[in-house]
Amino acid sequence: KLAALWLPEPENEPQGRAYYSQADLLLFGGAPGGGKTDLLAGCALTAHTHSVIFRRQATDLRGIEDRIIELVGREGWNGADKILRRNGRVLELGHLEKPGAEKSWQGRPHDFIGFDEGAQLARVKVQFVLGWLRSVKEGQRRRSIIASNPPLGGEGEWLAEWFAPWLDLRFSNPAKDGELRYAATAPDRDGTTIWLPDARKIVFTGERSYRYASDEEIADPTNQEVIEPLTRSFIRSWLRNNPYLANTGYQKQLQSLPEPMRSLLLKGDFMASRIDHE
């Protein structure tokens, strides 16, 4: 049962589908105003016990900080450390702009990790902090959500690879919106995504080749070579899905932007203007 302080949109709307998605790693977003930041705050405040939400730099946190205070008030909120302790839940806000900023989160477990405007973040930093997505609380779900508009530069190009079945028009087996797909990370220096047909455990035989693990390998708890795939998904949201903004005239503002920003933001097209990272 959800806390009364926040409710997602209905399950037939993108935000509701994202809230109830069973994906271990979910990309949610597209156009501005689709309820991305609210989804992150709502998940942390109603479904998880120890959460962190990242943005690129400290000043970017003001909007989500204001929204959290609007939802729950200032009781339990430490503005200096950007942390909320309330009703047995802990919610931290963090930023990853400076070199090595991700390392300050090493060894700090969270059962929910959110990335607001994930396309602004470096891939290696996102990968690093995801290493501490864990919980010892029985029955507590662990998941991560990347909420983002399409990349406005090369920094977020990695999203096209992480969510290729939904974003890459050249992908041989495209996925439907909200569909779960199984993936593992290859043991190469780039951390290439390997897409798998099902949830069966695998053993890598090369940097990007694998075989299915045997029953004996799976039964051996000391075998660190057996890889269990995680699920990923993508749910697209548009301005029209946000009942609070849809009729405010904000769409006209997006329509006035020049291309490719117009397609990037109004249509939420992640592939509209792909460029190499500097």
Side-chain angles (χ1 to χ4, degrees):
K1 185 177 180 180
L2 298 182
L5 57 90
W6 184 88
L7 292 171
E9 291 300 306
E11 289 187 60
N12 62 337
E13 295 291 338
Q15 190 187 77
R17 292 170 57 217
Y19 183 91
Y20 293 106
S21 171
Q22 293 303 303
D24 297 308
L25 177 62
L26 173 70
L27 174 62
F28 177 70
K36 299 183 297 298
T37 301
D38 241 46
L39 173 67
L40 298 181
C43 284
L45 293 171
T46 65
H48 294 271
T49 60
H50 201 164
S51 307
V52 60
I53 300 174
F54 290 106
R55 286 218 52 172
R56 180 179 181 182
Q57 54 190 11
T59 54
D60 295 336
L61 295 171
R62 292 171 183 166
I64 193 166
E65 178 180 355
D66 290 343
R67 181 55 175 152
I68 291 169
I69 293 172
E70 181 181 2
L71 288 170
V72 301
R74 292 189 174 276
E75 180 184 349
W77 173 253
N78 184 326
D81 295 331
K82 297 287 190 293
I83 183 169
L84 173 71
R85 291 184 173 91
R86 183 88 171 268
N87 298 329
R89 302 184 192 274
V90 178
L91 168 56
E92 299 178 83
L93 302 181
H95 56 91
L96 298 171
E97 180 183 25
K98 295 181 180 179
E102 72 279 9
K103 295 180 182 178
S104 65
W105 296 90
Q106 184 172 351
R108 298 169 60 180
H110 297 86
D111 52 77
F112 175 71
I113 300 179
F115 302 93
D116 199 14
E117 294 302 344
Q120 298 178 1
L121 301 172
R123 170 180 180 160
V124 294
K125 295 185 177 184
V126 172
Q127 285 177 317
F128 186 89
V129 297
L130 283 176
W132 282 268
L133 180 63
R134 67 189 188 198
S135 175
V136 296
K137 183 178 180 180
E138 185 177 356
Q140 176 59 59
R141 183 184 175 185
R142 300 168 300 279
R143 63 171 161 173
S144 180
I145 297 178
I146 301 173
S148 187
N149 293 325
L152 295 177
E155 185 74 270
E157 180 65 14
W158 54 274
L159 288 173
E161 194 247 319
W162 279 27
F163 299 94
W166 299 269
L167 300 183
D168 191 343
L169 300 178
R170 302 167 299 173
F171 195 79
S172 60
N173 183 22
K176 297 179 181 179
D177 193 81
E179 180 182 348
L180 294 183
R181 288 289 178 92
Y182 295 93
T185 301
D188 58 16
R189 294 184 64 87
D190 296 327
T192 304
T193 298
I194 304 298
W195 296 100
L196 304 170
D198 50 48
R200 285 181 289 176
K201 298 178 181 180
I202 65 169
V203 174
F204 280 106
T205 57
E207 284 195 342
R208 300 184 185 181
S209 58
Y210 69 91
R211 61 174 173 79
Y212 290 111
S214 66
D215 291 340
E216 292 77 12
E217 289 172 318
I218 295 173
D220 182 1
T222 65
N223 191 340
Q224 301 297 310
E225 301 302 318
V226 175
I227 305 297
E228 183 174 359
L230 296 174
T231 53
R232 297 185 190 181
S233 190
F234 168 56
I235 295 176
R236 191 183 300 275
S237 65
W238 289 273
L239 174 62
R240 65 176 180 266
N241 302 123
N242 187 336
Y244 300 100
L245 274 178
N247 299 316
T248 63
Y250 183 45
Q251 178 170 311
K252 293 188 294 183
Q253 189 65 35
L254 295 178
Q255 290 171 335
S256 70
L257 296 172
E259 290 292 355
M261 287 186 65
R262 180 187 303 174
S263 293
L264 283 169
L265 299 181
L266 183 63
K267 300 177 182 178
D269 189 346
F270 280 80
M271 310 300 283
S273 181
R274 299 179 67 186
I275 61 174
D276 288 334
H277 190 282
E278 291 181 2

